[in-house]
Amino acid sequence: MKLNKFFFGLLMTPAVMMVGCSDYEDTEVASPEADADAIGAYFESSSVSEQLSPGQTSFNVVLNRASFSEAVNVPVKVTANDDNFFSLSAEQFVFDAEKQVSSPITVTFNQSTVELQETYSLGLQVADGVKDHLYGAGYTDAVYSMVIDYTWKSDSLASTMVKDEYAGTLDKEGALAAVEIAKDFEVDEEKPSPDYTKNSLVRISSFFATIGKSKAAGKDHIQFVVDKDHKNPQFLTTDYLANNEISLKVNTTKLATGMTQKFAEEKEYPICMDLVGINVEAATTEAKTDNVTYQVTYELYAFDEKADKKYLLSTEDDTVPVEGNTQYKAKFEVKFVKASAE
């Protein structure tokens, strides 16, 4: 019986297959269409970086849409705005008929608190975060990160050997570091190069990472202004910018170095730097040269942010952290060239 059933199955299989093939019909399936009132509003990117020059007080944001035959307004929601730092000029994006891109919304910010080189974020959302168009591109949510800073250029100045007391190289060879200049600082374009800057803004960024004492880049930038003769250095400060009618805070204290200090009680604190002073080394004060040696004085300490206390650094595991700080010096030569003002 099992064998007969087996042969019967073999005989029936081709017939079944032929019936299945005869039932095939060539059909056309229409692609789904978007709703007639779908706008398809979107941001081109979910993350946008805005770098403003000092003195700029706003930036613009725009929205795109997939369907752009009619004029329409699209409400926008603020999803992230710490301490109401940012303000928007409108609560909705306005699209003119036949325009795919909206009129811009202007974003301003709190001038009394904004800090140079600090990053601030603004989150925006449209359509409650849900796309309403089948073929809508882009994103319904976007985060705008804003920073105010100069445009730094490093290839116009030669590298320098930084000799640092804390690193134990003040009387040794030191560490190689790149020196940068802000090419858009106090520029007077009516004067020909190389003397078309009133002053120059110079810096060594992330100081302790640059000289190899820290594995992490910090905010310990040594940035200073020199006159057209590259002398009379002074740290870039809030007061300096205010004298140039620029409302920006400049932090010169509690600068994160990327280093930490661990005490015996197993509390680990970040090591911070306070800038104290800068001057031209005596050997180059009167010399008529574009190779100028600068000496920086700074303080280092382990900082307990919660208690707002400074502790002395130590290579040993102290039982109780000792309050205070230690002063160190660093020096480096900046070799100015004519292209440094370009």
Side-chain angles (χ1 to χ4, degrees):
M1 289 296 292
K2 291 182 179 179
L3 186 62
N4 291 338
K5 286 182 179 180
F6 172 76
F7 281 109
F8 180 75
L10 290 176
L11 292 171
M12 287 296 294
T13 301
V16 172
M17 291 176 64
M18 289 180 65
V19 171
C21 291
S22 65
D23 289 342
Y24 175 76
E25 294 181 7
D26 188 9
T27 58
E28 181 178 334
V29 179
S31 298
E33 295 183 359
D35 293 338
D37 58 349
I39 300 169
Y42 66 91
F43 297 100
E44 283 194 317
S45 176
S46 62
S47 179
V48 182
S49 297
E50 297 283 352
Q51 179 170 327
L52 307 186
S53 298
Q56 287 185 272
T57 58
S58 66
F59 62 92
N60 291 331
V61 297
V62 296
L63 193 67
N64 292 263
R65 58 175 174 166
S67 178
F68 47 93
S69 59
E70 298 180 355
V72 68
N73 296 342
V74 177
V76 60
K77 181 191 301 182
V78 176
T79 58
N81 186 12
D82 291 342
D83 300 322
N84 294 318
F85 178 78
F86 291 101
S87 298
L88 276 62
S89 63
E91 296 181 349
Q92 55 187 5
F93 288 99
V94 177
F95 288 93
D96 293 332
E98 307 297 333
K99 297 293 184 181
Q100 185 179 7
V101 181
S102 73
S103 297
I105 288 179
T106 301
V107 180
T108 55
F109 42 87
N110 191 338
Q111 292 292 311
S112 64
T113 62
V114 66
E115 184 177 309
L116 183 74
Q117 296 160 349
E118 183 72 20
T119 300
Y120 301 89
S121 297
L122 170 68
L124 299 178
Q125 183 184 79
V126 294
D128 291 326
V130 180
K131 290 186 177 181
D132 66 346
H133 199 292
L134 292 173
Y135 310 109
Y139 306 86
T140 56
D141 291 73
V143 175
Y144 287 81
S145 299
M146 182 203 77
V147 63
I148 300 180
D149 199 2
Y150 291 96
T151 303
W152 297 93
K153 187 176 182 181
S154 60
D155 60 357
S156 59
L157 296 178
S159 297
T160 183
M161 295 302 296
V162 176
K163 299 180 180 181
D164 181 69
E165 193 171 17
Y166 176 71
T169 60
L170 194 64
D171 298 319
K172 300 177 183 178
E173 185 178 8
L176 189 65
V179 180
E180 301 174 314
I181 190 167
K183 68 178 185 179
D184 51 353
F185 178 78
E186 293 199 345
V187 173
D188 186 351
E189 295 180 348
E190 294 181 359
K191 293 182 180 180
S193 177
D195 191 28
Y196 61 52
T197 55
K198 304 172 187 175
N199 298 307
S200 294
L201 178 57
V202 185
R203 82 169 179 180
I204 297 178
S205 63
S206 297
F207 182 70
F208 287 103
T210 297
I211 66 173
K213 288 294 292 181
S214 172
K215 294 182 180 179
K219 294 186 177 181
D220 49 334
H221 312 311
I222 295 179
Q223 43 198 3
F224 56 98
V225 182
V226 293
D227 60 25
K228 63 184 181 65
D229 295 320
H230 309 140
K231 306 294 176 61
N232 300 312
Q234 58 178 307
F235 290 130
L236 182 65
T237 63
T238 302
D239 290 340
Y240 185 93
L241 291 180
N243 290 336
N244 288 271
E245 298 182 349
I246 296 177
S247 180
L248 278 176
K249 290 187 175 182
V250 181
N251 190 16
T252 56
T253 61
K254 296 185 179 67
L255 299 172
T257 65
M259 301 182 291
T260 59
Q261 172 72 42
K262 190 173 184 178
F263 295 99
E265 59 186 51
E266 297 185 354
K267 286 188 177 181
E268 193 167 1
Y269 303 104
I271 295 177
C272 295
M273 176 175 73
D274 290 355
L275 295 175
V276 177
I278 182 170
N279 55 56
V280 174
E281 197 169 73
T284 58
T285 300
E286 302 300 330
K288 293 183 178 180
T289 175
D290 284 335
N291 297 347
V292 185
T293 299
Y294 299 99
Q295 182 169 281
V296 173
T297 305
Y298 61 89
E299 293 175 348
L300 280 185
Y301 51 88
F303 183 57
D304 182 350
E305 185 176 8
K306 186 175 181 180
D308 194 22
K309 290 183 178 180
K310 301 177 179 180
Y311 299 125
L312 292 174
L313 302 183
S314 174
T315 56
E316 301 175 358
D317 287 339
D318 298 309
T319 303
V320 179
V322 179
E323 291 189 39
N325 53 55
T326 306
Q327 194 169 101
Y328 296 95
K329 293 180 180 179
K331 60 182 179 179
F332 47 88
E333 183 183 68
V334 177
K335 299 178 180 180
F336 291 92
V337 294
K338 292 183 177 180
S340 65
E342 296 177 352

